[in-house]
Amino acid sequence: LAAAAAGATGVGAGAIGAHGLRHLPPSRVEVWRTGSTYQLFHASALMCTALCAPSAPRTAAGALLGTGVVLFSGACYAFSWTGDRRLSYPAPVGGLALMAGWVALGLAAARTGRVLR
């Protein structure tokens, strides 16, 4: 459910970035696009967690990826919309959560035995 919600809202955010932000400076539109791109990539990663057997790394991967999307992409959207740099402060924490989520996803996949060799 989280992956589907992240994917659907990521597509919506991408559409807003492509068509609804013409009033913003191009640099802020680019930050918005980065947020929506990362959101869509990580929605796919969230979906991959469903393919792994239930385990602690799978749970961690889902939590880290979900939290990372909210913090990273949310900070990108908030800064882009308002121009207030203080709203971009959560982005590095979100980025770290996304990276940790990928590591946890790899561990979960290894435990499941669904790793390409």
Side-chain angles (χ1 to χ4, degrees):
L1 188 57
T9 57
V11 170
I16 290 169
H19 304 292
L21 300 179
R22 292 191 173 109
H23 64 285
L24 295 178
S27 61
R28 286 180 27 207
V29 174
E30 187 59 33
V31 171
W32 184 283
R33 285 189 187 131
T34 298
S36 64
T37 300
Y38 273 61
Q39 182 174 342
L40 286 170
F41 284 143
H42 291 90
S44 299
L46 272 171
M47 187 63 74
C48 290
T49 63
L51 301 175
C52 297
S55 66
R58 173 188 158 176
T59 301
L64 288 163
L65 290 167
T67 300
V69 165
V70 169
L71 291 175
F72 183 84
S73 294
C76 289
Y77 301 145
F79 164 69
S80 295
W81 194 262
T82 66
D84 185 348
R85 288 218 176 266
R86 293 173 296 175
L87 296 177
S88 69
Y89 293 167
V93 176
L96 288 171
L98 292 171
M99 288 185 279
W102 279 104
V103 171
L105 181 57
L107 292 172
R111 280 200 174 174
T112 301
R114 293 184 179 164
V115 179
L116 297 175
R117 296 173 200 219

